[in-house]
Amino acid sequence: MDELATLDPFPADDFLDMDEDIPEDLPLHEHFRFTADKKQSLLRIDKFLADRISHISRSRIRMAADARCILVNGKAVKSNYRIKPLDVVTIMMERPRYETEILPEDIPLNIVYEDKYLLVVNKPAGLVVHPGHGNYTGTLIHALAFHLKDDSCYDPSNPAVGLVHRIDKDTSGLLVVAKRPEIKTHLGEQFFNRAIQRKYWAMVWGIPKENDGRIEGNIGRSPRDRLMMTVFPDGVQGKSAITHYHVTERLGYTSLVECRLETGRTHQIRVHLKHIGHPVFNDARYGGDHILKGQTFSKYQQFVRNCFEVCPRQALHAKTLGFVHPATGESLFFDSELPDDMRNLIAKWTYYANNKEI
């Protein structure tokens, strides 16, 4: 078995955020180091690293190699380099590693289900899920560390346990957390096999032509803005992504839609809905925070601005979650109430649609 360095679970977040080549005159900092076993067989370095770093894809590793961040025996290598016995692999970045110890923080949690194997939490909007660049404290991971501090089997610094999936900071809704490694592995397989039931509710701009639709388009990082994802309809770039939607209400110049994920890509619902011309209401990153539909009258303009204040984030909620319990085999299904900001937003647009006084 390969000799592995002891890894902290979340420095990979910095690695995940790396997109651009590093200028040669910047001092570099070591983030990871691995030494191949003396019996190591020839293996591509992207596969070698993907097996050793959690929450990282081979495509991200290839980007790091292109940016000359991956060194073998002190020299930068390409992603097709083949690891040999006793090779020393290091990942260097321009930022020093941040402190990764997960300290318990007494942050309130809305737990909708819990047993000795797992729990399901209803995350509020505004709460970051994982520590990452600029958010090293005050996350859901820190809240879970406090809640489970008396569970001797749960180590918040162990990536083999904890959150099985993520949702964005300003998206609310249901998440499942594994307390045991074998539970996380089993749930991860359900996600990989698309056996998880997930539905999101979103308020979007405009009225889709069809009640039901299927959006298919590869999703990848935007070449113009690395903080955004985009659809590559040619099917060459990005990763395959499929979203199904159903229009539940038409409310003036907006609609309430239910989305079912067939895949789980970064910002998938937000990117796909923008792609078909219906951005999520008040989604600042994808253009939904502007008045995209409606009238030019000042009274209507003020009404929409009031709606932005009522729901000051993207109007997206992970409403349902269903899976098979890895330990008991029981089929579990959870349905959450919409948070107050989205309910109030829907109420305002419902009143507008019914009265048309604005």
Side-chain angles (χ1 to χ4, degrees):
M1 184 175 179
D2 293 340
E3 298 170 2
L4 301 182
T6 300
L7 291 182
D8 294 317
F10 300 114
D13 285 340
D14 275 345
F15 187 22
L16 284 164
D17 287 339
M18 191 284 307
D19 269 316
E20 300 173 354
D21 201 352
I22 297 176
E24 294 183 358
D25 58 347
L26 282 181
L28 300 182
H29 304 270
E30 182 178 304
H31 279 234
F32 296 91
R33 175 180 290 263
F34 306 95
T35 301
D37 187 74
K38 61 183 179 181
K39 296 182 180 180
Q40 172 71 49
S41 59
L42 291 178
L43 181 69
R44 280 179 59 113
I45 195 168
D46 51 356
K47 178 66 165 62
F48 179 86
L49 290 174
D51 290 340
R52 287 158 177 78
I53 303 176
S54 61
H55 310 303
I56 190 67
S57 66
R58 291 176 71 174
S59 63
R60 300 296 293 171
I61 293 170
R62 288 192 288 270
M63 292 176 66
D66 291 341
R68 301 178 61 82
C69 291
I70 300 178
L71 310 182
V72 175
N73 304 325
K75 295 183 179 180
V77 298
K78 296 182 178 180
S79 59
N80 62 356
Y81 176 86
R82 293 185 179 275
I83 295 292
K84 296 185 290 293
L86 300 180
D87 273 349
V88 178
V89 182
T90 53
I91 296 175
M92 310 294 291
M93 295 185 65
E94 79 277 19
R95 296 187 296 271
R97 285 182 62 168
Y98 57 86
E99 178 58 51
T100 57
E101 181 182 5
I102 305 299
L103 300 177
E105 296 181 36
D106 188 5
I107 300 170
L109 288 174
N110 180 6
I111 296 172
V112 299
Y113 174 86
E114 183 172 16
D115 60 28
K116 66 179 181 180
Y117 301 106
L118 56 84
L119 63 87
V120 175
V121 61
N122 189 1
K123 186 190 83 70
L127 180 62
V128 176
V129 173
H130 269 295
H133 186 61
N135 295 287
Y136 301 141
T137 61
T139 73
L140 180 57
I141 291 294
H142 294 87
L144 290 169
F146 182 86
H147 177 72
L148 298 172
K149 64 182 183 299
D150 296 326
D151 186 337
S152 60
C153 295
Y154 183 83
D155 178 1
S157 296
N158 182 1
V161 297
L163 282 163
V164 183
H165 58 126
R166 308 185 189 193
I167 57 178
D168 301 327
K169 172 186 175 182
D170 288 324
T171 298
S172 54
L174 298 172
L175 290 164
V176 60
V177 180
K179 298 182 182 180
R180 308 288 184 267
E182 65 276 13
I183 300 299
K184 185 169 184 178
T185 297
H186 193 290
L187 288 169
E189 290 174 352
Q190 291 187 52
F191 272 92
F192 180 80
N193 294 324
R194 303 181 182 181
I196 300 289
Q197 302 175 61
R198 287 183 292 170
K199 288 185 179 179
Y200 290 68
W201 280 23
M203 176 76 80
V204 302
W205 279 107
I207 309 295
K209 293 180 180 178
E210 305 294 334
N211 276 338
D212 297 277
R214 180 178 187 269
I215 311 169
E216 182 171 4
N218 283 20
I219 290 177
R221 198 168 294 278
S222 169
R224 290 187 292 272
D225 184 346
R226 75 184 193 90
L227 296 179
M228 294 178 63
M229 309 300 286
T230 192
V231 172
F232 295 97
D234 58 11
V236 177
Q237 302 180 69
K239 294 182 179 180
S240 63
I242 299 172
T243 304
H244 302 267
Y245 71 85
H246 170 71
V247 179
T248 62
E249 289 188 71
R250 291 172 169 79
L251 302 172
Y253 297 105
T254 64
S255 300
L256 184 64
V257 299
E258 180 183 80
C259 296
R260 178 174 63 84
L261 291 173
E262 191 170 317
T263 55
R265 308 305 180 198
T266 302
H267 300 173
Q268 178 171 323
I269 290 175
R270 299 162 64 190
V271 176
H272 268 173
L273 289 173
K274 178 186 178 182
H275 179 65
I276 65 169
H278 299 286
V280 175
F281 189 86
N282 210 9
D283 186 346
R285 181 160 293 179
Y286 293 101
D289 60 338
H290 300 286
I291 302 176
L292 302 180
K293 303 286 182 180
Q295 307 173 32
T296 59
F297 301 129
S298 59
K299 192 174 182 181
Y300 173 79
Q301 303 280 313
Q302 184 59 52
F303 164 75
V304 176
R305 286 193 290 270
N306 290 341
C307 289
F308 287 150
E309 293 177 2
V310 164
C311 186
R313 49 98 176 190
Q314 66 244 18
L316 181 61
H317 178 72
K319 194 171 191 301
T320 69
L321 177 64
F323 55 88
V324 175
H325 195 296
T328 67
E330 179 185 2
S331 293
L332 300 179
F333 184 80
F334 304 95
D335 190 356
S336 61
E337 294 290 333
L338 288 174
D340 289 344
D341 57 357
M342 280 190 65
R343 288 195 296 104
N344 292 336
L345 176 66
I346 293 168
K348 286 182 72 67
W349 277 103
T350 299
Y351 180 84
Y352 171 81
N354 291 336
N355 293 275
K356 298 290 180 69
E357 295 178 356
I358 297 172

